[in-house]
Amino acid sequence: MIILFAVITMMFLSPLHGLDSSWFAFGGAMVLLLLVYPKNISGMMMRIDWDTFFYLAGLFVLVEACNRMRLINEMGVQLSNLIEMAPKEYTFPVAIMSILWVVSVVSAFLDTIPLCIALTKVIAVIAARLHLPLPPLAWALAFSACLGQNATIVGSANNVVAVSLTEKSGYTITTWQWVKVGVPVVLITQVVISVYMYFRYVVVAE
């Protein structure tokens, strides 16, 4: 509990010391391994699902590469241009719907957490550029990223871990099997949340 508390505290203090929170998570894990398995660390390391570990690491590297190549920023610029094409009185609802559906598609192929971190800056720019309220756009980003990730296995770390665990139990879930169920679910939930967002922030706000 002391180590867990220390790790969480240092993560919260990341803005002050400037170190990435991943260092504290990894360091805390290593300390726990040394304390719990001081004589059998190698055996414990063999039990780690390294395939999933490196797969997730690769996804995070991919998103960061897209971010550094300014691909995500360019997506934000194009999205902003798309929203600006709408008549002025419809700019706000078009912005909400555009973020909901565009981000949902992107989040099906890129891991949600790093994607949201990168897109948070993008929607802030869109809100400032088009003089729109930020909270509804933030909610649209949160909903679309969380719902869109269900379309494919690679959309979320949770999906990858779930598929890995089922394979260890003797059951195989292929990409096509997942997509056949995931895409319809995403479409239904996206329609529901689109209706909710429209009535909550457009109809009721008026």
Side-chain angles (χ1 to χ4, degrees), residues 48-56:
I48 296 176
D49 190 347
W50 291 106
D51 289 341
T52 303
F53 178 84
F54 284 111
Y55 187 78
L56 294 176

Side-chain angles (χ1 to χ4, degrees), residues 92 95-96 99 123 126-128 130-139 201 205:
F92 184 46
I96 292 177
I99 292 173
I123 65 166
I126 292 176
L130 302 180
H131 306 289
L132 301 174
L134 182 58
L137 303 186
W139 277 114
Y201 290 107

Side-chain angles (χ1 to χ4, degrees), residues 89-90 92-94 96-97 100 136 140 190-206:
E89 62 271 22
Y90 298 115
F92 184 46
V94 169
I96 292 177
M97 294 302 145
L100 275 174
Q190 279 291 110
V191 170
V192 171
I193 202 60
S194 296
V195 172
Y196 166 76
M197 290 290 290
Y198 181 78
F199 278 93
R200 171 64 180 82
Y201 290 107
V202 180
V203 177
V204 175
E206 294 178 352

Side-chain angles (χ1 to χ4, degrees), residues 20-205:
D20 195 282
S21 58
S22 59
W23 287 107
F24 302 106
F26 183 77
M30 291 298 101
V31 171
L32 284 175
L33 280 175
L34 290 172
L35 292 176
V36 179
Y37 299 98
K39 298 181 180 179
N40 191 28
I41 293 181
S42 59
M44 186 61 191
M45 297 293 282
M46 292 295 292
R47 294 172 58 186
I48 296 176
D49 190 347
W50 291 106
D51 289 341
T52 303
F53 178 84
F54 284 111
Y55 187 78
L56 294 176
L59 286 179
F60 277 79
V61 170
L62 174 64
V63 176
E64 181 61 22
C66 291
N67 190 31
R68 297 201 177 196
M69 293 172 64
R70 302 186 67 80
L71 294 179
I72 294 178
N73 183 69
E74 181 62 23
M75 185 188 75
V77 171
Q78 295 302 322
L79 184 59
S80 180
N81 293 336
L82 174 66
I83 296 169
E84 283 185 318
M85 293 172 61
K88 193 169 184 180
E89 62 271 22
Y90 298 115
T91 300
F92 184 46
V94 169
I96 292 177
M97 294 302 145
S98 298
I99 292 173
L100 275 174
W101 287 91
V102 171
V103 174
S104 177
V105 173
V106 176
S107 66
F109 302 98
L110 295 177
D111 191 80
T112 306
I113 297 174
L115 179 65
C116 282
I117 293 173
L119 288 180
T120 298
K121 301 175 183 178
V122 172
I123 65 166
V125 172
I126 292 176
R129 181 177 174 182
L130 302 180
H131 306 289
L132 301 174
L134 182 58
L137 303 186
W139 277 114
L141 172 62
F143 281 130
S144 57
C146 290
L147 297 176
Q149 68 181 354
N150 296 320
T152 64
I153 296 175
V154 299
S156 169
N158 301 331
N159 300 350
V160 176
V161 172
V163 170
S164 177
L165 291 175
T166 56
E167 287 182 350
K168 287 184 177 181
S169 300
Y171 300 94
T172 301
I173 301 176
T174 65
T175 300
W176 176 238
Q177 288 175 324
W178 185 289
V179 169
K180 283 194 298 184
V181 177
V183 171
V185 169
V186 169
L187 290 175
I188 293 171
T189 53
Q190 279 291 110
V191 170
V192 171
I193 202 60
S194 296
V195 172
Y196 166 76
M197 290 290 290
Y198 181 78
F199 278 93
R200 171 64 180 82
Y201 290 107
V202 180
V203 177
V204 175

Side-chain angles (χ1 to χ4, degrees), residues 2-23:
I2 295 176
I3 296 174
L4 178 62
F5 178 77
V7 169
I8 294 175
T9 301
M10 294 306 293
M11 286 181 173
F12 274 111
L13 295 177
S14 288
L16 297 178
H17 52 63
L19 297 175
D20 195 282
S21 58
S22 59
W23 287 107

